[in-house]
Amino acid sequence: MVPLVLGLGLFLLVSLLCGVGLGAAGIGWGDVFRLLGAGLTGGTIDARDVSAYTIVWEIRLPRVVLGAVVGAGLAAVGVAVQAMVRNALADPFVLGISSGAAVGANAVILLGAFAGLGVWALSLSAFGSALAATALVYAVARSPHGLSPLRLILTGTALAYGFEAVTTVMVFGAARGEAARSAMMWLLGSLGGATWAQVPIAGVTVAAGWAWLRRRAEALNALAMGDETAATLGVQPARLRRELFLVTAAVTGTVVAVSGAIGFVGLMVPHVVRMLVGADHRRVLAVAPLAGAVLLVWADLLSRLLLAPAELPVGVITAVVGVPAFLLLMRRGGYAFGGR
């Protein structure tokens, strides 16, 4: 597994460089490396390079770094959610958190809510509504016996439809066509609004969530085999599922707040990784975040290049890649959830 991790790490570095060096604005590779060096070392640049420096350092670099963070977070949470609900079709959005975040985001985009928060209005509103959705799902799904997989899936799915209905009403009632277009772009996922201010918040949250999941990898192995088996191995399924719910909600709410609802990363990447390294969550959680980061960096790059200078929602690219890839995975003989 070590060669795979090292290989993915190197490929991620190359992907980040490609994400910074390629774009609608033609900037030579020599200039890209020179401007990156100036930004990293605090060096000076010529006045004629200010425009290119802004594109490389203030627009492209935070975008690709945030894309890697979001991809890693979605992949790690996808692994956790599939183990938590023991469902191969589960992904980070099955709990209704993404749909809940959309309500808050669209309240800002379409209605101008929380305008006093300035540039933070969209992210904070989306994160706050994601937390509210999380609390609602938890309150409805919780029973005297804890959080069962079936109740979580049913509750999350039902409330997601409700949140989506609210969002649809807001979009159709928008007075400005451009606002409705921005809302749809966010609903399909976009990294176009990435800034350096968003990177530390998302990065710390994803890193903390991943570290916690890695520490609980053995317990996830037990939980994936069923509650009775987990209990015999000394794991408390109800307590672990509650903790997983909170961690996945925090990570999902954070990444959705900065990138919108990007699908298929959390669904597809865990399956691909399990086929490569097996079902042991210690291995899966070591590889999945790297694979998710690479996937989203390239998906975002394609979203910028295919219709340049216009952009496609990055969620469209992940769906175009994810649907056929997932169908091929399902046709692979002998594959089952959590196994090979």
Side-chain angles (χ1 to χ4, degrees):
M1 186 185 73
V2 174
L4 178 61
V5 172
L6 293 177
L8 278 174
L10 179 60
F11 188 35
L12 176 59
L13 178 60
V14 172
S15 302
L16 292 172
L17 290 175
C18 289
V20 175
L22 300 175
I27 302 175
W29 282 102
D31 291 333
V32 168
F33 286 114
R34 179 170 56 82
L35 295 172
L36 284 176
L40 290 171
T41 61
T44 59
I45 58 172
D46 294 333
R48 67 176 184 273
D49 291 329
V50 171
S51 177
Y53 178 82
T54 301
I55 292 173
V56 169
W57 189 261
E58 299 295 338
I59 297 177
R60 290 183 184 175
L61 187 56
R63 179 169 182 156
V64 297
V65 172
L66 189 64
V69 170
V70 170
L74 290 175
V77 172
V79 173
V81 170
Q82 289 174 6
M84 177 172 61
V85 300
R86 298 201 306 274
N87 190 313
L89 294 178
D91 71 356
F93 302 139
V94 74
L95 302 179
I97 301 168
S98 173
S99 301
V103 174
N106 282 284
V108 174
I109 296 172
L110 301 172
L111 306 178
F114 309 110
L117 296 175
V119 295
W120 292 98
L122 180 61
S123 296
L124 291 177
S125 180
F127 183 68
S129 59
L131 291 183
T134 299
L136 183 57
V137 171
Y138 179 83
V140 176
R142 188 172 182 273
S143 71
H145 304 290
L147 294 173
S148 69
L150 181 59
R151 288 179 67 92
L152 272 175
I153 292 176
L154 292 178
T155 302
T157 301
L159 290 178
Y161 278 114
F163 296 141
E164 289 171 5
V166 173
T167 301
T168 301
V169 170
M170 294 168 68
V171 171
F172 273 91
R176 296 174 293 138
E178 185 60 31
R181 183 181 182 279
S182 298
M184 291 306 299
M185 179 72 89
W186 193 91
L187 288 171
L188 292 173
S190 174
L191 293 166
T195 64
W196 280 119
Q198 295 172 330
V199 173
I201 298 172
V204 169
T205 303
V206 169
W210 173 80
W212 187 90
L213 291 172
R214 280 278 293 169
R215 189 168 60 87
R216 302 290 282 162
E218 290 283 4
L220 288 176
N221 287 338
L223 189 65
M225 292 186 288
D227 287 10
E228 292 184 1
T229 302
T232 62
L233 294 174
V235 175
Q236 300 179 36
R239 178 179 177 179
L240 177 59
R241 194 168 282 116
R242 183 168 59 250
E243 293 172 352
L244 283 170
F245 182 77
L246 295 175
V247 171
T248 56
V251 175
T252 303
T254 301
V255 299
V256 168
V258 298
S259 67
I262 301 173
F264 271 98
V265 177
L267 174 64
M268 181 177 63
V269 170
H271 287 287
V272 174
V273 172
R274 287 191 188 97
M275 295 174 68
L276 293 174
V277 303
D280 189 338
H281 282 85
R282 291 172 298 182
R283 293 173 171 265
V284 175
L285 284 168
V287 176
L290 288 172
V294 168
L295 173 61
L296 199 55
V297 168
W298 280 103
D300 179 59
L301 180 57
L302 287 175
S303 76
R304 290 188 277 137
L305 295 179
L306 289 179
L307 296 179
E311 288 188 15
L312 285 171
V314 68
V316 171
I317 304 300
T318 57
V320 168
V321 174
V323 170
F326 194 75
L327 292 177
L328 288 173
L329 286 176
M330 293 303 97
R331 288 182 61 85
R332 181 180 184 270
Y335 176 73
F337 169 62
R340 304 184 73 167

